[in-house]
Amino acid sequence: MSFSADTPFVRALVRAHQQAATPLPGLAFCQLAEQILELLFPERAPKPIVRPDAIAATLSQLQTDLASLLMRVSMPAAPAAVAAEFIGRLPSLREMLLYDAAAILAADPAAQGTEEVIATYPGFYATAMHRLAHALHQLQVPLVPRLISEYAHQLTGIDIHPGARIGTSFCIDHGTGIVVGETTVIGANVKIFQGVTLGALSVNKDLQGIKRHPTIEDHVVLYAGATILGGNTVVGSHSIIGGNVWLTESVPSHSRVYHRAQIHVTRTEDPTEGLTFSI
């Protein structure tokens, strides 16, 4: 089938393209985030930068590049000011990420050292990209934080909205399938396993701008497959939420919440007979 210039479908596409905003250089923003991580953590860099003047020059160049990219974004603050503020936050961001790496190392018997965690662990990478995206989100930069978070999501299978607030010493173990919603609040020294969902009870659009995701207090462990929903749901400090738990109401501190499964297995000495089991 061929389309001529005057067909309704072609004209509709023309109008859509004419009305579309100028696309953001999404890949460039994500590459810049990668460069920032490589500077903060030489374990991720192709080549270490060993001279102080070279480090300072790299920071200056990153700020210039960020300001240039932000000129493509419509936002209330001046791009140069936002870039300067963001780069100024890198010392504290690096400190937080070092605590995150230490938390992963302390929790995972398979980890051989902080260098391995920083260079190879998807949980650390997803957390690092989130902290960069969250800093831009705090600076009221539109769209870009989500571009970065979705970039990390594609690479790790870990979906953390840039609006989520995460405390120090955050540990993601394995991580595939984790979902952390926009208004989630996570305290310090929290450990999350794969498949955990921190979500909303409803996806009604009227809830936009309202806290609809849970609060996880300090020193909580969320085991694989746990689903915790609702903006009023609070998991108290030092609690353990077991695997596959579905939780929609608050639990006090030092709680142990688990799903009890009953498994019955019977067998026969005759291997030709089928194995009978029920779960």
Side-chain angles (χ1 to χ4, degrees):
M1 181 177 182
S2 61
F3 293 97
S4 64
D6 60 348
T7 59
F9 180 61
V10 170
R11 291 200 300 270
L13 288 180
V14 169
R15 287 194 299 271
H17 281 261
Q18 289 174 341
Q19 296 168 4
T22 303
L24 290 177
L27 182 59
F29 277 112
C30 295
Q31 290 174 338
L32 184 63
E34 293 277 17
Q35 291 169 15
I36 290 171
L37 287 187
E38 290 174 1
L39 177 64
L40 297 182
F41 301 103
E43 297 90 341
R44 302 192 62 87
K47 183 179 180 180
I49 304 173
V50 297
R51 298 197 324 272
D53 60 331
I55 293 286
T58 302
L59 284 166
S60 179
Q61 186 61 54
L62 288 171
Q63 181 173 325
T64 299
D65 292 345
L66 178 57
S68 178
L69 288 173
L70 289 175
M71 291 179 67
R72 305 275 295 275
V73 181
S74 177
M75 56 186 184
V82 172
E85 174 65 23
F86 176 81
I87 295 299
R89 295 186 183 192
L90 291 184
S92 61
L93 287 172
R94 182 175 188 272
E95 183 179 13
M96 288 189 72
L97 287 167
L98 286 172
Y99 280 118
D100 297 329
I104 294 172
L105 176 63
D108 187 357
Q112 299 300 307
T114 304
E115 295 81 3
E116 180 187 18
V117 170
I118 292 172
T120 68
Y121 272 49
F124 175 81
Y125 177 81
T127 301
M129 294 297 270
H130 168 73
R131 295 207 186 279
L132 297 181
H134 183 66
L136 291 170
H137 177 82
Q138 288 180 313
L139 293 170
Q140 300 182 29
V141 177
L143 296 178
V144 176
R146 195 62 185 266
L147 284 171
I148 294 172
S149 68
E150 288 303 323
Y151 175 77
H153 181 195
Q154 292 174 34
L155 293 176
T156 64
I158 299 168
D159 183 0
I160 309 176
H161 192 283
R165 291 186 286 160
I166 300 178
T168 59
S169 299
F170 183 53
C171 173
I172 291 177
D173 197 321
H174 299 293
T176 304
I178 285 176
V179 177
V180 180
E182 177 188 16
T183 61
T184 302
V185 177
I186 298 175
N189 298 287
V190 170
K191 183 177 182 180
I192 299 182
F193 285 81
Q194 67 272 17
V196 166
T197 296
L198 302 179
L201 280 168
S202 170
V203 292
N204 192 321
K205 191 64 175 179
D206 292 340
L207 295 175
Q208 185 173 15
I210 298 174
K211 189 178 188 313
R212 57 196 184 278
H213 304 97
T215 295
I216 311 299
E217 294 185 346
D218 300 346
H219 300 281
V220 168
V221 179
L222 307 178
Y223 279 104
T227 298
I228 304 172
L229 307 177
N232 294 323
T233 302
V234 178
V235 176
S237 64
H238 297 86
S239 292
I240 295 176
I241 309 301
N244 299 318
V245 164
W246 179 279
L247 189 64
T248 59
E249 57 187 42
S250 297
V251 296
S253 64
H254 297 84
S255 295
R256 301 292 183 269
V257 183
Y258 59 93
H259 174 75
R260 176 175 290 173
Q262 294 184 342
I263 301 176
H264 304 284
V265 179
T266 61
R267 64 181 302 275
T268 176
E269 295 297 330
D270 183 357
T272 63
E273 294 186 21
L275 177 65
T276 302
F277 64 92
S278 62
I279 297 179

